[in-house]
Amino acid sequence: VLRRLKIDELPQLLNVLKGDMCLVGPRPEDPRFVRFYPDALRPVLDLKPGITSAASLYFRDESSLLTSDDHETEYIENILPQKLRMDLDFFRSASVFGNLLLILRTVVGIVKR
């Protein structure tokens, strides 16, 4: 229930208050996958991580998209590059309105669950 309702993410608000994270920013990736970041998408590592992002909303149910027997390879080859591209595109055109809209969409998505 905690995971489904994203309540397990609440402690990250402390990281936002400390300045280690933002409300909107690329979600921190599992460190074992960072080595697979394509060079062109590595600038996402320079962005401060966040609690929500365009990619995290789009890939909210990422496990349901993994259809092959080798989930890890499928993630690395298909989903990871898409997530990185989405995050970079969003932050290259970042705006206060865009961030507020993303936060609102995140809250609505959580409430709907």
Side-chain angles (χ1 to χ4, degrees), residues 1-32:
V1 171
L2 292 174
R3 183 77 182 129
R4 190 172 57 91
L5 296 175
K6 304 287 187 188
I7 294 172
D8 62 330
E9 304 284 344
L10 288 177
Q12 292 182 359
L13 287 175
L14 296 175
N15 291 329
V16 171
L17 294 174
K18 286 182 1 184
D20 295 337
M21 290 181 79
C22 296
L23 288 175
V24 176
R27 295 287 301 148
E29 185 61 73
D30 184 325
R32 65 191 167 136

PDB file of all heavy atoms in Angstrom, residues 1-32:
ATOM      1  N   VAL A   1       0.836  -1.196   0.000  1.00  0.00           N
ATOM      2  CA  VAL A   1       0.000   0.000   0.000  1.00  0.00           C
ATOM      3  C   VAL A   1       0.872   1.247   0.000  1.00  0.00           C
ATOM      4  O   VAL A   1       0.611   2.190  -0.737  1.00  0.00           O
ATOM      5  CB  VAL A   1      -0.962  -0.008   1.210  1.00  0.00           C
ATOM      6  CG1 VAL A   1      -1.684   1.305   1.351  1.00  0.00           C
ATOM      7  CG2 VAL A   1      -1.945  -1.144   1.097  1.00  0.00           C
ATOM      8  N   LEU A   2       1.919   1.236   0.828  1.00  0.00           N
ATOM      9  CA  LEU A   2       2.817   2.395   0.888  1.00  0.00           C
ATOM     10  C   LEU A   2       3.414   2.689  -0.480  1.00  0.00           C
ATOM     11  O   LEU A   2       3.459   3.833  -0.913  1.00  0.00           O
ATOM     12  CB  LEU A   2       3.946   2.161   1.890  1.00  0.00           C
ATOM     13  CG  LEU A   2       3.569   2.097   3.356  1.00  0.00           C
ATOM     14  CD1 LEU A   2       4.785   1.721   4.198  1.00  0.00           C
ATOM     15  CD2 LEU A   2       2.991   3.406   3.816  1.00  0.00           C
ATOM     16  N   ARG A   3       3.869   1.651  -1.157  1.00  0.00           N
ATOM     17  CA  ARG A   3       4.512   1.828  -2.461  1.00  0.00           C
ATOM     18  C   ARG A   3       3.501   2.256  -3.523  1.00  0.00           C
ATOM     19  O   ARG A   3       3.761   3.133  -4.326  1.00  0.00           O
ATOM     20  CB  ARG A   3       5.180   0.493  -2.867  1.00  0.00           C
ATOM     21  CG  ARG A   3       5.926   0.604  -4.157  1.00  0.00           C
ATOM     22  CD  ARG A   3       7.245   1.317  -3.905  1.00  0.00           C
ATOM     23  NE  ARG A   3       7.924   1.470  -5.150  1.00  0.00           N
ATOM     24  CZ  ARG A   3       8.411   2.622  -5.596  1.00  0.00           C
ATOM     25  NH1 ARG A   3       8.315   3.701  -4.870  1.00  0.00           N
ATOM     26  NH2 ARG A   3       9.006   2.698  -6.737  1.00  0.00           N
ATOM     27  N   ARG A   4       2.327   1.627  -3.508  1.00  0.00           N
ATOM     28  CA  ARG A   4       1.308   1.931  -4.511  1.00  0.00           C
ATOM     29  C   ARG A   4       0.834   3.374  -4.388  1.00  0.00           C
ATOM     30  O   ARG A   4       0.610   4.050  -5.386  1.00  0.00           O
ATOM     31  CB  ARG A   4       0.125   0.971  -4.359  1.00  0.00           C
ATOM     32  CG  ARG A   4      -0.868   1.045  -5.490  1.00  0.00           C
ATOM     33  CD  ARG A   4      -1.906  -0.056  -5.405  1.00  0.00           C
ATOM     34  NE  ARG A   4      -2.632  -0.054  -4.161  1.00  0.00           N
ATOM     35  CZ  ARG A   4      -3.776   0.612  -3.967  1.00  0.00           C
ATOM     36  NH1 ARG A   4      -4.302   1.300  -4.929  1.00  0.00           N
ATOM     37  NH2 ARG A   4      -4.373   0.568  -2.810  1.00  0.00           N
ATOM     38  N   LEU A   5       0.714   3.870  -3.165  1.00  0.00           N
ATOM     39  CA  LEU A   5       0.265   5.250  -2.943  1.00  0.00           C
ATOM     40  C   LEU A   5       1.415   6.245  -2.916  1.00  0.00           C
ATOM     41  O   LEU A   5       1.217   7.429  -2.674  1.00  0.00           O
ATOM     42  CB  LEU A   5      -0.536   5.339  -1.638  1.00  0.00           C
ATOM     43  CG  LEU A   5      -1.847   4.555  -1.614  1.00  0.00           C
ATOM     44  CD1 LEU A   5      -2.479   4.625  -0.229  1.00  0.00           C
ATOM     45  CD2 LEU A   5      -2.803   5.069  -2.673  1.00  0.00           C
ATOM     46  N   LYS A   6       2.626   5.735  -3.110  1.00  0.00           N
ATOM     47  CA  LYS A   6       3.838   6.565  -3.156  1.00  0.00           C
ATOM     48  C   LYS A   6       4.140   7.244  -1.815  1.00  0.00           C
ATOM     49  O   LYS A   6       4.880   8.210  -1.756  1.00  0.00           O
ATOM     50  CB  LYS A   6       3.756   7.636  -4.260  1.00  0.00           C
ATOM     51  CG  LYS A   6       3.501   7.069  -5.636  1.00  0.00           C
ATOM     52  CD  LYS A   6       4.730   6.394  -6.149  1.00  0.00           C
ATOM     53  CE  LYS A   6       4.504   5.981  -7.609  1.00  0.00           C
ATOM     54  NZ  LYS A   6       5.549   5.172  -8.117  1.00  0.00           N
ATOM     55  N   ILE A   7       3.574   6.716  -0.750  1.00  0.00           N
ATOM     56  CA  ILE A   7       3.839   7.282   0.575  1.00  0.00           C
ATOM     57  C   ILE A   7       5.292   7.060   0.964  1.00  0.00           C
ATOM     58  O   ILE A   7       5.870   7.840   1.722  1.00  0.00           O
ATOM     59  CB  ILE A   7       2.873   6.679   1.621  1.00  0.00           C
ATOM     60  CG1 ILE A   7       1.438   7.120   1.290  1.00  0.00           C
ATOM     61  CG2 ILE A   7       3.246   7.084   3.034  1.00  0.00           C
ATOM     62  CD1 ILE A   7       0.375   6.440   2.112  1.00  0.00           C
ATOM     63  N   ASP A   8       5.911   6.020   0.402  1.00  0.00           N
ATOM     64  CA  ASP A   8       7.315   5.747   0.694  1.00  0.00           C
ATOM     65  C   ASP A   8       8.240   6.844   0.169  1.00  0.00           C
ATOM     66  O   ASP A   8       9.413   6.897   0.510  1.00  0.00           O
ATOM     67  CB  ASP A   8       7.728   4.385   0.146  1.00  0.00           C
ATOM     68  CG  ASP A   8       7.598   4.296  -1.368  1.00  0.00           C
ATOM     69  OD1 ASP A   8       6.719   4.971  -1.931  1.00  0.00           O
ATOM     70  OD2 ASP A   8       8.370   3.540  -1.979  1.00  0.00           O
ATOM     71  N   GLU A   9       7.710   7.745  -0.649  1.00  0.00           N
ATOM     72  CA  GLU A   9       8.492   8.854  -1.205  1.00  0.00           C
ATOM     73  C   GLU A   9       8.521  10.062  -0.259  1.00  0.00           C
ATOM     74  O   GLU A   9       9.317  10.980  -0.458  1.00  0.00           O
ATOM     75  CB  GLU A   9       7.917   9.298  -2.554  1.00  0.00           C
ATOM     76  CG  GLU A   9       7.794   8.207  -3.596  1.00  0.00           C
ATOM     77  CD  GLU A   9       9.106   7.833  -4.239  1.00  0.00           C
ATOM     78  OE1 GLU A   9      10.066   8.607  -4.104  1.00  0.00           O
ATOM     79  OE2 GLU A   9       9.173   6.771  -4.870  1.00  0.00           O
ATOM     80  N   LEU A  10       7.654  10.094   0.730  1.00  0.00           N
ATOM     81  CA  LEU A  10       7.556  11.263   1.609  1.00  0.00           C
ATOM     82  C   LEU A  10       8.872  11.641   2.302  1.00  0.00           C
ATOM     83  O   LEU A  10       9.161  12.830   2.435  1.00  0.00           O
ATOM     84  CB  LEU A  10       6.440  11.070   2.641  1.00  0.00           C
ATOM     85  CG  LEU A  10       5.024  11.160   2.086  1.00  0.00           C
ATOM     86  CD1 LEU A  10       4.006  10.884   3.195  1.00  0.00           C
ATOM     87  CD2 LEU A  10       4.766  12.500   1.433  1.00  0.00           C
ATOM     88  N   PRO A  11       9.694  10.691   2.737  1.00  0.00           N
ATOM     89  CA  PRO A  11      10.967  11.089   3.357  1.00  0.00           C
ATOM     90  C   PRO A  11      11.856  11.927   2.426  1.00  0.00           C
ATOM     91  O   PRO A  11      12.713  12.676   2.887  1.00  0.00           O
ATOM     92  CB  PRO A  11      11.635   9.762   3.706  1.00  0.00           C
ATOM     93  CG  PRO A  11      10.498   8.821   3.888  1.00  0.00           C
ATOM     94  CD  PRO A  11       9.470   9.254   2.875  1.00  0.00           C
ATOM     95  N   GLN A  12      11.619  11.825   1.113  1.00  0.00           N
ATOM     96  CA  GLN A  12      12.415  12.619   0.192  1.00  0.00           C
ATOM     97  C   GLN A  12      12.117  14.108   0.333  1.00  0.00           C
ATOM     98  O   GLN A  12      12.929  14.936  -0.075  1.00  0.00           O
ATOM     99  CB  GLN A  12      12.191  12.150  -1.242  1.00  0.00           C
ATOM    100  CG  GLN A  12      12.761  10.779  -1.472  1.00  0.00           C
ATOM    101  CD  GLN A  12      12.582  10.309  -2.899  1.00  0.00           C
ATOM    102  OE1 GLN A  12      12.019  10.999  -3.738  1.00  0.00           O
ATOM    103  NE2 GLN A  12      13.078   9.126  -3.173  1.00  0.00           N
ATOM    104  N   LEU A  13      10.989  14.440   0.920  1.00  0.00           N
ATOM    105  CA  LEU A  13      10.701  15.856   1.173  1.00  0.00           C
ATOM    106  C   LEU A  13      11.751  16.461   2.103  1.00  0.00           C
ATOM    107  O   LEU A  13      12.081  17.638   1.993  1.00  0.00           O
ATOM    108  CB  LEU A  13       9.298  16.036   1.759  1.00  0.00           C
ATOM    109  CG  LEU A  13       8.152  15.836   0.780  1.00  0.00           C
ATOM    110  CD1 LEU A  13       6.814  15.911   1.512  1.00  0.00           C
ATOM    111  CD2 LEU A  13       8.202  16.869  -0.333  1.00  0.00           C
ATOM    112  N   LEU A  14      12.279  15.655   3.003  1.00  0.00           N
ATOM    113  CA  LEU A  14      13.361  16.134   3.876  1.00  0.00           C
ATOM    114  C   LEU A  14      14.591  16.479   3.035  1.00  0.00           C
ATOM    115  O   LEU A  14      15.280  17.460   3.309  1.00  0.00           O
ATOM    116  CB  LEU A  14      13.711  15.088   4.936  1.00  0.00           C
ATOM    117  CG  LEU A  14      12.610  14.768   5.943  1.00  0.00           C
ATOM    118  CD1 LEU A  14      13.036  13.622   6.854  1.00  0.00           C
ATOM    119  CD2 LEU A  14      12.261  16.003   6.754  1.00  0.00           C
ATOM    120  N   ASN A  15      14.866  15.668   2.018  1.00  0.00           N
ATOM    121  CA  ASN A  15      15.995  15.952   1.129  1.00  0.00           C
ATOM    122  C   ASN A  15      15.767  17.236   0.344  1.00  0.00           C
ATOM    123  O   ASN A  15      16.712  17.968   0.045  1.00  0.00           O
ATOM    124  CB  ASN A  15      16.245  14.780   0.182  1.00  0.00           C
ATOM    125  CG  ASN A  15      16.779  13.569   0.899  1.00  0.00           C
ATOM    126  OD1 ASN A  15      17.473  13.689   1.897  1.00  0.00           O
ATOM    127  ND2 ASN A  15      16.445  12.398   0.403  1.00  0.00           N
ATOM    128  N   VAL A  16      14.509  17.524   0.004  1.00  0.00           N
ATOM    129  CA  VAL A  16      14.187  18.778  -0.685  1.00  0.00           C
ATOM    130  C   VAL A  16      14.451  19.945   0.260  1.00  0.00           C
ATOM    131  O   VAL A  16      15.068  20.941  -0.125  1.00  0.00           O
ATOM    132  CB  VAL A  16      12.710  18.785  -1.176  1.00  0.00           C
ATOM    133  CG1 VAL A  16      12.323  20.160  -1.680  1.00  0.00           C
ATOM    134  CG2 VAL A  16      12.517  17.741  -2.262  1.00  0.00           C
ATOM    135  N   LEU A  17      14.001  19.822   1.500  1.00  0.00           N
ATOM    136  CA  LEU A  17      14.217  20.891   2.484  1.00  0.00           C
ATOM    137  C   LEU A  17      15.702  21.116   2.763  1.00  0.00           C
ATOM    138  O   LEU A  17      16.125  22.242   2.977  1.00  0.00           O
ATOM    139  CB  LEU A  17      13.470  20.579   3.781  1.00  0.00           C
ATOM    140  CG  LEU A  17      11.948  20.563   3.678  1.00  0.00           C
ATOM    141  CD1 LEU A  17      11.327  20.085   4.990  1.00  0.00           C
ATOM    142  CD2 LEU A  17      11.414  21.937   3.302  1.00  0.00           C
ATOM    143  N   LYS A  18      16.500  20.045   2.735  1.00  0.00           N
ATOM    144  CA  LYS A  18      17.944  20.167   2.942  1.00  0.00           C
ATOM    145  C   LYS A  18      18.647  20.742   1.720  1.00  0.00           C
ATOM    146  O   LYS A  18      19.780  21.180   1.800  1.00  0.00           O
ATOM    147  CB  LYS A  18      18.557  18.799   3.259  1.00  0.00           C
ATOM    148  CG  LYS A  18      18.256  18.308   4.637  1.00  0.00           C
ATOM    149  CD  LYS A  18      18.887  16.978   5.017  1.00  0.00           C
ATOM    150  CE  LYS A  18      19.745  16.303   4.019  1.00  0.00           C
ATOM    151  NZ  LYS A  18      20.242  14.981   4.421  1.00  0.00           N
ATOM    152  N   GLY A  19      17.981  20.717   0.566  1.00  0.00           N
ATOM    153  CA  GLY A  19      18.592  21.225  -0.657  1.00  0.00           C
ATOM    154  C   GLY A  19      19.302  20.173  -1.485  1.00  0.00           C
ATOM    155  O   GLY A  19      19.936  20.491  -2.486  1.00  0.00           O
ATOM    156  N   ASP A  20      19.198  18.905  -1.073  1.00  0.00           N
ATOM    157  CA  ASP A  20      19.835  17.825  -1.815  1.00  0.00           C
ATOM    158  C   ASP A  20      19.018  17.400  -3.034  1.00  0.00           C
ATOM    159  O   ASP A  20      19.552  16.777  -3.954  1.00  0.00           O
ATOM    160  CB  ASP A  20      20.045  16.598  -0.921  1.00  0.00           C
ATOM    161  CG  ASP A  20      21.025  16.872   0.208  1.00  0.00           C
ATOM    162  OD1 ASP A  20      21.843  17.800   0.069  1.00  0.00           O
ATOM    163  OD2 ASP A  20      20.968  16.155   1.227  1.00  0.00           O
ATOM    164  N   MET A  21      17.726  17.695  -3.004  1.00  0.00           N
ATOM    165  CA  MET A  21      16.823  17.328  -4.096  1.00  0.00           C
ATOM    166  C   MET A  21      15.900  18.504  -4.376  1.00  0.00           C
ATOM    167  O   MET A  21      15.805  19.437  -3.587  1.00  0.00           O
ATOM    168  CB  MET A  21      15.958  16.112  -3.717  1.00  0.00           C
ATOM    169  CG  MET A  21      16.686  14.804  -3.605  1.00  0.00           C
ATOM    170  SD  MET A  21      15.576  13.430  -3.196  1.00  0.00           S
ATOM    171  CE  MET A  21      14.848  13.112  -4.794  1.00  0.00           C
ATOM    172  N   CYS A  22      15.193  18.406  -5.505  1.00  0.00           N
ATOM    173  CA  CYS A  22      14.165  19.377  -5.883  1.00  0.00           C
ATOM    174  C   CYS A  22      12.826  18.652  -5.923  1.00  0.00           C
ATOM    175  O   CYS A  22      12.780  17.433  -5.962  1.00  0.00           O
ATOM    176  CB  CYS A  22      14.441  19.942  -7.273  1.00  0.00           C
ATOM    177  SG  CYS A  22      15.949  20.893  -7.392  1.00  0.00           S
ATOM    178  N   LEU A  23      11.753  19.419  -5.952  1.00  0.00           N
ATOM    179  CA  LEU A  23      10.456  18.783  -6.167  1.00  0.00           C
ATOM    180  C   LEU A  23      10.394  18.195  -7.572  1.00  0.00           C
ATOM    181  O   LEU A  23       9.908  17.091  -7.778  1.00  0.00           O
ATOM    182  CB  LEU A  23       9.311  19.781  -5.958  1.00  0.00           C
ATOM    183  CG  LEU A  23       9.034  20.191  -4.526  1.00  0.00           C
ATOM    184  CD1 LEU A  23       7.958  21.261  -4.474  1.00  0.00           C
ATOM    185  CD2 LEU A  23       8.640  18.990  -3.684  1.00  0.00           C
ATOM    186  N   VAL A  24      10.880  18.955  -8.566  1.00  0.00           N
ATOM    187  CA  VAL A  24      10.867  18.507  -9.959  1.00  0.00           C
ATOM    188  C   VAL A  24      12.313  18.340 -10.423  1.00  0.00           C
ATOM    189  O   VAL A  24      13.107  19.264 -10.366  1.00  0.00           O
ATOM    190  CB  VAL A  24      10.133  19.523 -10.861  1.00  0.00           C
ATOM    191  CG1 VAL A  24      10.207  19.083 -12.315  1.00  0.00           C
ATOM    192  CG2 VAL A  24       8.692  19.699 -10.421  1.00  0.00           C
ATOM    193  N   GLY A  25      12.620  17.150 -10.852  1.00  0.00           N
ATOM    194  CA  GLY A  25      13.961  16.832 -11.339  1.00  0.00           C
ATOM    195  C   GLY A  25      13.996  15.371 -11.717  1.00  0.00           C
ATOM    196  O   GLY A  25      13.103  14.610 -11.351  1.00  0.00           O
ATOM    197  N   PRO A  26      14.994  14.943 -12.438  1.00  0.00           N
ATOM    198  CA  PRO A  26      15.051  13.536 -12.831  1.00  0.00           C
ATOM    199  C   PRO A  26      15.132  12.641 -11.597  1.00  0.00           C
ATOM    200  O   PRO A  26      15.833  12.952 -10.640  1.00  0.00           O
ATOM    201  CB  PRO A  26      16.313  13.431 -13.679  1.00  0.00           C
ATOM    202  CG  PRO A  26      17.106  14.639 -13.365  1.00  0.00           C
ATOM    203  CD  PRO A  26      16.165  15.692 -12.873  1.00  0.00           C
ATOM    204  N   ARG A  27      14.391  11.568 -11.628  1.00  0.00           N
ATOM    205  CA  ARG A  27      14.421  10.618 -10.517  1.00  0.00           C
ATOM    206  C   ARG A  27      15.800   9.978 -10.441  1.00  0.00           C
ATOM    207  O   ARG A  27      16.394   9.641 -11.466  1.00  0.00           O
ATOM    208  CB  ARG A  27      13.375   9.523 -10.733  1.00  0.00           C
ATOM    209  CG  ARG A  27      11.959  10.026 -10.704  1.00  0.00           C
ATOM    210  CD  ARG A  27      11.478  10.388  -9.335  1.00  0.00           C
ATOM    211  NE  ARG A  27      11.559   9.214  -8.483  1.00  0.00           N
ATOM    212  CZ  ARG A  27      11.816   9.269  -7.189  1.00  0.00           C
ATOM    213  NH1 ARG A  27      12.020  10.410  -6.596  1.00  0.00           N
ATOM    214  NH2 ARG A  27      11.883   8.182  -6.476  1.00  0.00           N
ATOM    215  N   PRO A  28      16.323   9.796  -9.240  1.00  0.00           N
ATOM    216  CA  PRO A  28      17.617   9.111  -9.112  1.00  0.00           C
ATOM    217  C   PRO A  28      17.513   7.695  -9.685  1.00  0.00           C
ATOM    218  O   PRO A  28      16.533   6.997  -9.462  1.00  0.00           O
ATOM    219  CB  PRO A  28      17.842   9.067  -7.600  1.00  0.00           C
ATOM    220  CG  PRO A  28      16.957  10.127  -7.035  1.00  0.00           C
ATOM    221  CD  PRO A  28      15.785  10.225  -7.954  1.00  0.00           C
ATOM    222  N   GLU A  29      18.506   7.320 -10.441  1.00  0.00           N
ATOM    223  CA  GLU A  29      18.525   6.000 -11.081  1.00  0.00           C
ATOM    224  C   GLU A  29      19.288   5.021 -10.206  1.00  0.00           C
ATOM    225  O   GLU A  29      20.183   5.406  -9.450  1.00  0.00           O
ATOM    226  CB  GLU A  29      19.202   6.118 -12.454  1.00  0.00           C
ATOM    227  CG  GLU A  29      19.198   4.851 -13.278  1.00  0.00           C
ATOM    228  CD  GLU A  29      17.807   4.353 -13.604  1.00  0.00           C
ATOM    229  OE1 GLU A  29      17.137   4.971 -14.440  1.00  0.00           O
ATOM    230  OE2 GLU A  29      17.394   3.329 -13.010  1.00  0.00           O
ATOM    231  N   ASP A  30      18.958   3.772 -10.336  1.00  0.00           N
ATOM    232  CA  ASP A  30      19.709   2.703  -9.685  1.00  0.00           C
ATOM    233  C   ASP A  30      21.154   2.819 -10.181  1.00  0.00           C
ATOM    234  O   ASP A  30      21.398   2.814 -11.395  1.00  0.00           O
ATOM    235  CB  ASP A  30      19.093   1.363 -10.083  1.00  0.00           C
ATOM    236  CG  ASP A  30      19.739   0.186  -9.382  1.00  0.00           C
ATOM    237  OD1 ASP A  30      20.962   0.212  -9.137  1.00  0.00           O
ATOM    238  OD2 ASP A  30      19.015  -0.778  -9.092  1.00  0.00           O
ATOM    239  N   PRO A  31      22.123   2.937  -9.285  1.00  0.00           N
ATOM    240  CA  PRO A  31      23.521   3.151  -9.698  1.00  0.00           C
ATOM    241  C   PRO A  31      24.053   2.115 -10.688  1.00  0.00           C
ATOM    242  O   PRO A  31      24.895   2.429 -11.525  1.00  0.00           O
ATOM    243  CB  PRO A  31      24.304   3.093  -8.386  1.00  0.00           C
ATOM    244  CG  PRO A  31      23.311   3.452  -7.340  1.00  0.00           C
ATOM    245  CD  PRO A  31      21.988   2.935  -7.830  1.00  0.00           C
ATOM    246  N   ARG A  32      23.540   0.906 -10.655  1.00  0.00           N
ATOM    247  CA  ARG A  32      24.060  -0.113 -11.587  1.00  0.00           C
ATOM    248  C   ARG A  32      23.670   0.173 -13.034  1.00  0.00           C
ATOM    249  O   ARG A  32      24.262  -0.386 -13.950  1.00  0.00           O
ATOM    250  CB  ARG A  32      23.624  -1.505 -11.173  1.00  0.00           C
ATOM    251  CG  ARG A  32      22.155  -1.734 -11.234  1.00  0.00           C
ATOM    252  CD  ARG A  32      21.756  -3.024 -10.570  1.00  0.00           C
ATOM    253  NE  ARG A  32      20.326  -3.005 -10.410  1.00  0.00           N
ATOM    254  CZ  ARG A  32      19.547  -4.013 -10.666  1.00  0.00           C
ATOM    255  NH1 ARG A  32      20.053  -5.145 -11.066  1.00  0.00           N
ATOM    256  NH2 ARG A  32      18.247  -3.909 -10.513  1.00  0.00           N
TER     257      ARG A  32
END
